[in-house]
Amino acid sequence: MKKKISLAGLVLILILVFTGCGRSETAEYDEETLQYYSQYFISFFNSQTEEQIESYRGSPDTLLDMYLIQNGIPIEGDNFLTILDAWQAGLNECGEFIQCGEFEMTTDKDGAILTADAEFADRDGTVVFEYDENMYLESVTVSGIYSTGEVLEKAGLNTILGMGTVFVVLIFLCFVIWLFKFIPALEKKFHRAENVEPVQQTAAQTPSPTMDSVSGDEENDLELAAVIAAAVAAAEGTSTDDFVVRSIKRRKTNKWK
């Protein structure tokens, strides 16, 4: 009986140990330090000029990492330019930064997130800083706060744009389909042109009567007239100089014996 109780106790202890190992623990973060970092980043980002940002883009990764380490800026070099772009995009949306409210921190197993309301020149917005487990800044998000009317207006414009694009494409397809009825007529026209061209080429290649052939026919007629004239002169007992053969016609009846 004691062995069974001991075995049950051992099994219970093992279950508790494995349960404790599988449970995810949330790391502890210094909220005051992260708030200080966030305020520092806002001041740092606002103080950067376009020339400085372009110089950061043109710097090698090693020099950029050394610059961040020397100035005590807790950002990985790979994320630095991305975070700068995100901040500039937020300023383009909300306008020039004016001031920021108190930060609220939430934590999980991946890091800490600090959120605060901010005032900009064009509209109010929200600033979100995300830190990893080593309290290095991973990302910055600046989002403007829009009124209900602005949200509906933007949704309406997106709807009109989407539906307009669909209708334009449909109209274009209908126009293309309408053009299909002209294809048979064009095919017939091309076929006729192809058939006429060989005929013209054949006609051009057919030899036309030349002067040689015409002159040959005339010579044959003259010879025939001379023979007939000689026969008539012999029958009449005269000379061919006394008459001239102007034409020769075949008679229907033959009186020659």
Side-chain angles (χ1 to χ4, degrees), residues 35-54:
Q35 288 185 1
Y36 170 78
Y37 282 164
S38 300
Q39 294 290 348
Y40 171 78
F41 285 132
I42 291 175
S43 301
F44 176 77
F45 293 151
N46 285 328
S47 64
Q48 301 303 304
T49 62
E50 294 183 0
E51 290 77 9
Q52 290 175 325
I53 294 175
E54 291 299 326

Side-chain angles (χ1 to χ4, degrees), residues 166-234:
V166 172
F167 279 110
V168 168
V169 173
L170 290 176
I171 292 172
F172 176 74
L173 291 177
C174 292
F175 176 71
V176 172
I177 294 172
W178 177 75
L179 291 176
F180 284 167
K181 68 180 183 180
F182 297 103
I183 294 178
L186 293 175
E187 289 182 351
K188 290 180 180 179
K189 184 177 179 180
F190 285 127
H191 285 310
R192 289 176 183 174
E194 292 176 356
N195 294 332
V196 168
E197 185 175 356
V199 172
Q200 292 178 350
Q201 292 179 355
T202 304
Q205 294 174 358
T206 302
S208 59
T210 59
M211 294 300 296
D212 295 337
S213 61
V214 173
S215 60
D217 293 339
E218 290 179 353
E219 290 179 357
N220 293 332
D221 293 340
L222 292 175
E223 291 178 357
L224 180 60
V227 171
I228 293 174
V232 172

Side-chain angles (χ1 to χ4, degrees), residues 73-251:
I73 302 175
I75 303 177
E76 296 289 343
D78 297 339
N79 296 330
F80 180 70
L81 294 176
T82 304
I83 292 172
L84 272 178
D85 292 338
W87 181 259
Q88 292 297 324
L91 295 182
N92 294 333
E93 179 184 0
C94 302
E96 185 179 356
F97 176 80
I98 298 177
Q99 62 180 359
C100 183
E102 293 293 331
F103 285 94
E104 294 182 0
M105 186 178 73
T106 58
T107 59
D108 55 19
K109 63 180 180 179
D110 297 325
I113 300 174
L114 272 71
T115 306
D117 294 331
E119 183 180 355
F120 296 87
D122 296 337
R123 66 178 67 254
D124 293 337
T126 303
V127 181
V128 180
F129 290 85
E130 296 185 10
Y131 296 89
D132 61 8
E133 55 185 5
N134 296 321
M135 294 197 299
Y136 272 72
L137 184 63
E138 284 190 331
S139 66
V140 174
T141 304
V142 179
S143 56
I145 299 175
Y146 294 87
S147 62
T148 304
E150 290 174 332
V151 173
L152 293 176
E153 181 181 0
K154 184 179 290 188
L157 291 175
N158 292 334
T159 302
I160 293 173
L161 181 61
M163 295 181 65
T165 303
V166 172
F167 279 110
V168 168
V169 173
L170 290 176
I171 292 172
F172 176 74
L173 291 177
C174 292
F175 176 71
V176 172
I177 294 172
W178 177 75
L179 291 176
F180 284 167
K181 68 180 183 180
F182 297 103
I183 294 178
L186 293 175
E187 289 182 351
K188 290 180 180 179
K189 184 177 179 180
F190 285 127
H191 285 310
R192 289 176 183 174
E194 292 176 356
N195 294 332
V196 168
E197 185 175 356
V199 172
Q200 292 178 350
Q201 292 179 355
T202 304
Q205 294 174 358
T206 302
S208 59
T210 59
M211 294 300 296
D212 295 337
S213 61
V214 173
S215 60
D217 293 339
E218 290 179 353
E219 290 179 357
N220 293 332
D221 293 340
L222 292 175
E223 291 178 357
L224 180 60
V227 171
I228 293 174
V232 172
E236 296 291 336
T238 61
S239 174
T240 56
D241 297 334
D242 297 336
F243 61 91
V244 177
V245 179
R246 298 187 181 276
S247 63
I248 301 171
K249 294 182 180 180
R250 182 183 295 275
R251 296 180 61 86

Side-chain angles (χ1 to χ4, degrees), residues 26-41:
T26 303
E28 295 182 358
Y29 300 94
D30 188 350
E31 184 174 357
E32 293 183 0
T33 302
L34 293 180
Q35 288 185 1
Y36 170 78
Y37 282 164
S38 300
Q39 294 290 348
Y40 171 78
F41 285 132

